Amino acid sequence: MTPESPEVAEAAPPEAAAPNRRRLTAGEVREYLLAHPGFLAKNPEVLEHQALPARADADGHRVVDFQRALVDRLRNDNAKLRSFQSEVLTAARANVSAQGLVHEAILLLLEAESFEHLIHAITLDLAPMLGIDVVTLSVETLEAAPERPSLQNFYLVPPGTVDGLIDPGRLVRLISEPPEDTLIFGPATPLVQSQALARLDIGGESPLGLLALGSREATKYEPGQGSELLGFLAGTIERLIRLWLRPTD
């Protein structure tokens, strides 16, 4: 057996190998590695699956093997890197999926044929499209004790409600807890375990509004998550409401 023969065997695709091909012996593997000292340097992943022997000095006492410690550290680092890469890929796929859902939702809102149709699409059609349980729209009113209109998932709330839920200067807030009261989600409140809130500033003399998304999944919305898509959706809704409320000649 020549040193080159194992390379020829490795080059052959698995499907081309004969089912009864002779397996290499330990001696042949040792001979190949001795003949190719750069093999492990070019294929470091092989070391990750090998058990390394303990080192001993001339008297037979065990000594600290820094090389082995380094290899073990590299193994752990590689395992952490693979786990991190997997998490990044999972998050990227989820983000692409969420982005596609938001784009479809915006296209739906753009098709509204009237202001009432737009409100209906926001409060009733968005939730199933986004894969959540409820979407509500709230508007502040100067009335001391506002009565809620009959339109489903559309509520009138006291002045200061939006700033009380979202700090002034912020557009979005993600909350991984159930609502404290039924003011924003109404009858759907018992379902909501996490919520995403977005400020709606229509501008002019119009009062502040609030777009609220609720999910029964406690980890659906959590502080620290990216909120760019929700901000984009809220910004689109702001502009559409302005267009429908704009005076016509």
Side-chain angles (χ1 to χ4, degrees):
M1 170 179 173
T2 64
E4 290 77 9
S5 59
E7 293 184 340
V8 175
E10 290 177 1
E15 59 273 13
N20 58 350
R21 188 181 70 174
R22 183 179 66 84
R23 308 186 77 177
L24 293 175
T25 65
E28 290 171 337
V29 174
R30 180 177 182 277
E31 178 185 347
Y32 176 79
L33 291 177
L34 290 175
H36 299 79
F39 177 80
L40 293 178
K42 295 179 180 178
N43 302 274
E45 70 279 0
V46 175
L47 285 173
E48 298 180 23
H49 305 283
Q50 304 303 309
L52 301 180
R55 298 286 296 276
D57 60 14
D59 298 325
H61 299 106
R62 297 190 63 179
V63 297
V64 177
D65 188 348
F66 290 102
Q67 186 175 17
R68 181 175 182 179
L70 179 60
V71 171
D72 289 341
R73 179 178 178 181
L74 289 174
R75 286 178 176 171
N76 293 333
D77 289 346
N78 285 338
K80 292 178 181 178
L81 179 60
R82 290 195 183 98
S83 176
F84 177 73
Q85 288 174 332
S86 177
E87 292 176 1
V88 170
L89 288 175
T90 300
R93 295 190 184 102
N95 186 64
V96 170
S97 176
Q99 188 177 48
L101 293 176
V102 170
H103 288 169
E104 290 181 11
I106 290 175
L107 290 177
L108 173 70
L109 300 180
L110 290 174
E111 294 177 355
E113 299 178 354
S114 65
F115 182 68
E116 291 74 16
H117 186 188
L118 174 65
I119 300 302
H120 181 279
I122 295 171
T123 57
L124 296 178
D125 297 335
L126 282 189
M129 289 193 68
L130 298 177
I132 56 179
D133 294 281
V134 60
V135 174
T136 69
L137 190 61
S138 302
V139 176
E140 292 186 351
T141 177
L142 295 176
E143 297 179 22
E147 295 183 1
R148 292 180 172 176
S150 59
L151 186 62
Q152 186 176 352
N153 293 337
F154 181 84
Y155 303 113
L156 300 178
V157 296
T161 298
V162 176
D163 284 341
L165 292 171
I166 305 176
D167 292 338
R170 293 182 58 187
L171 300 178
V172 174
R173 182 187 177 193
L174 305 181
I175 307 173
S176 57
E177 298 176 356
E180 296 180 356
D181 51 48
T182 62
L183 185 65
I184 300 301
F185 290 103
T189 300
L191 286 174
V192 179
Q193 298 301 310
S194 64
Q195 47 188 317
L197 309 178
R199 178 189 301 270
L200 299 178
D201 188 357
I202 309 304
E205 300 297 326
S206 300
L208 287 177
L210 182 73
L211 177 70
L213 284 62
S215 172
R216 69 181 68 200
E217 298 179 24
T219 58
K220 180 69 173 180
Y221 302 113
E222 295 180 305
Q225 290 179 341
S227 58
E228 293 81 5
L229 287 175
L230 178 57
F232 181 68
L233 176 62
T236 301
I237 290 176
E238 278 183 352
R239 287 158 177 77
L240 288 175
I241 292 177
R242 288 174 193 163
L243 287 174
W244 282 109
L245 295 181
R246 184 174 57 188
T248 58
D249 297 333

